[in-house]
Structure formats: C-alpha cells, structure tokens
Amino acid sequence: MTETAQRTALVELADVSKHYGSVRALEGVSLEVHAGQITCVLGDNGAGKSTLIKTIAGLHRHDGGTLSIEGEETRLSSPREALDRGIATVYQDLAVVPLMPVWRNFFLGSEPRKGVGPFKRLDIGLMRRTTREALLRMGIDLRDVDQPIGTLSGGERQCVAIARAVHFGAKVLVLDEPTAALGVKQSGVVLKYVAAARDEGLGVVLITHNPHHAYLVGDRFVLLRRGTMVGNYTRDEITLDELTQQMAGGSDLDALRHELQRS
C-alpha cells in the first residue's frame, strides 16, 4: 500500500444514502478522496452524480451512512461550511460574471481592499498580479487578465476556476462534468490542469460520463447507476475496456445487442 493510501482520506463517504420523499437518489454509496489522487465518479444521466456532488458540497444533507472529513464524521449544513473545511466545488455552469475581467471573477466574493475608513477601496493592482501569478503557477498563460472572462473558451474558464480553488487553499476539488461541453482539444487542456491540481496535493473528485477522460487521469473509479454504486475500483483493478463496458451497461448492453440482432 502506498504512503498516500495509508493516510487518512480527506473525504470519505461510507454507505451514504439520500432520499427525496419516496425517490431514492443515492443508496449505499462509498468513496474515498485522498490527497494527490483523483477519484472519478462515472454514470449516465440520472445515476445520482448530481446528488453526490451536492452532498459533498454541503448543499444537501445525507439521510444515511457517514460523511467524514479528515477522519472526523460530520454533517455539512451549507456550502460555506464545506468551503471552510477545504472543499471547493466547480459546477458545470461555472458561476462567473461574463462581462467582468478575469481578475475580478478570480476574486469574486473575496476581494482584498486597501486604505481605511471612507478611503477603503478594492486593491485592483494586487488582484491583477495575484491572478496572473496564480494562473502561471498552474501553467495557464492568459494573454490578458483584464479581458472579460466571457471572451475565454469554455476550457479556459474551467482552468481559471481550478486555479482559483487551488489559490484559495482548497484541499478537495470537486469538478462537475468539466469536459462535458468541450471538444477534444479543450477537454485535453482541462484534464491537464485537473492533473496539475492533483500534483499540487489536492484530492480531486472528477464527475464525468466519459470513461476515456476518467481513465486518462483517474486513480480511483466509482460507478453509479440509478443511485446505487455498481463498481468501486483502483486503477490497477480495472482496464479502460472494462471501465467502458461497465459504463455502457455491461450485461444490460449484451442483452440489448442479442435482442436487436437480426434473426
């Protein structure tokens, strides 16, 4: 067992369940998130990925099982509490203000100020420098941090969000389908910075429906189907072909193929 695996998980879910009335959104889901590792959660629409994100991010409280942060069992009451505990979530729709410059979006809600009393004002110079330095540290070289963030490509906006989480001290980074709406080249750029966040020592949860993207960077793989966990593997326990087969439905796909064959 590696030194990383021996350490206490940054986040651990054990048999977690979540119900909305009679609807079972999650049932008996377990996963571990370790520093310097990427845990990929895979599943089709309706598999429970969104509910899992909201549970880890503090939006929804789980009904059953346990959620532990650095070995301490807890029940998160809000996204702010999750953020204070080091869990940063980047959603697919990205909470940015398109017409504001990159540096302003980078510090949105956490703007440093200078001066005192009625002369207190935003420290724009510091924000510009810090944004540029934080992006360069992650290997992101933007032409101009003064440009509106809405002029960036989808992949570039995802990368800025990742760099922001790293800069503000996140220990765990949860990424909601960061490559879903991107082409091959832009997806590759985002995965590069997901790996950079891992190399910075963060524990990453990558939510995706693409097994090829997951296998490029993943250390652990959790497969969800209709709210239940149908697989939980480390990288050396499953091949890309096996992961793709399970993601595609496994035995269900074989049964469908047989049913659709011409007689």
Side-chain angles (χ1 to χ4, degrees), residues 143-160:
R143 296 177 297 279
D144 183 10
V145 295
D146 282 307
Q147 68 188 102
I149 199 167
T151 64
L152 302 183
S153 68
E156 288 173 325
R157 290 197 296 271
Q158 287 281 354
C159 296
V160 170

Side-chain angles (χ1 to χ4, degrees), residues 84-198:
D84 290 343
R85 300 289 297 270
I87 301 173
T89 303
V90 178
Y91 292 98
Q92 188 175 339
D93 55 2
L94 290 177
V96 297
V97 183
L99 295 180
M100 282 187 176
V102 173
W103 62 262
R104 188 66 190 271
N105 276 278
F106 192 89
F107 279 93
L108 200 61
S110 303
E111 295 89 347
R113 297 176 183 272
K114 62 182 179 179
V116 294
F119 302 104
K120 204 166 189 178
R121 61 199 184 279
L122 295 178
D123 194 341
I124 295 174
L126 175 63
M127 286 190 278
R128 281 177 174 148
R129 289 193 306 274
T130 302
T131 299
R132 189 175 291 108
E133 290 167 3
L135 294 176
L136 283 173
R137 177 183 170 190
M138 294 288 291
I140 306 167
D141 188 8
L142 288 184
R143 296 177 297 279
D144 183 10
V145 295
D146 282 307
Q147 68 188 102
I149 199 167
T151 64
L152 302 183
S153 68
E156 288 173 325
R157 290 197 296 271
Q158 287 281 354
C159 296
V160 170
I162 292 170
R164 183 185 193 277
V166 173
H167 174 74
F168 283 100
K171 297 178 182 178
V172 175
L173 179 62
V174 184
L175 298 167
D176 174 22
E177 300 271 11
T179 62
L182 304 179
V184 175
K185 185 175 181 180
Q186 285 292 315
S187 294
V189 170
V190 172
L191 291 175
K192 172 184 173 183
Y193 295 120
V194 171
R198 173 202 63 200

Side-chain angles (χ1 to χ4, degrees), residues 186-247:
Q186 285 292 315
S187 294
V189 170
V190 172
L191 291 175
K192 172 184 173 183
Y193 295 120
V194 171
R198 173 202 63 200
D199 294 342
E200 286 282 331
L202 277 71
V204 180
V205 181
L206 176 63
I207 311 293
T208 182
H209 63 269
N210 190 317
H212 295 273
H213 291 172
Y215 207 79
L216 281 171
V217 295
D219 299 291
R220 298 166 180 265
F221 307 95
V222 174
L223 288 95
L224 299 180
R225 189 177 303 151
R226 301 188 189 96
T228 62
M229 189 172 66
V230 294
N232 191 345
Y233 308 97
T234 58
R235 188 180 183 86
D236 58 1
E237 292 174 335
I238 192 168
T239 65
L240 174 58
D241 287 344
E242 292 168 340
L243 187 64
T244 304
Q245 174 75 359
Q246 289 211 30
M247 182 66 190

Side-chain angles (χ1 to χ4, degrees), residues 45-73:
N45 293 335
K49 303 191 303 295
S50 294
T51 302
L52 182 64
I53 290 173
K54 291 171 182 175
T55 301
I56 298 174
L59 274 167
H60 292 171
R61 286 190 172 192
H62 54 288
D63 300 321
T66 59
L67 167 64
S68 300
I69 299 177
E70 295 185 278
E72 178 187 347
E73 186 177 335

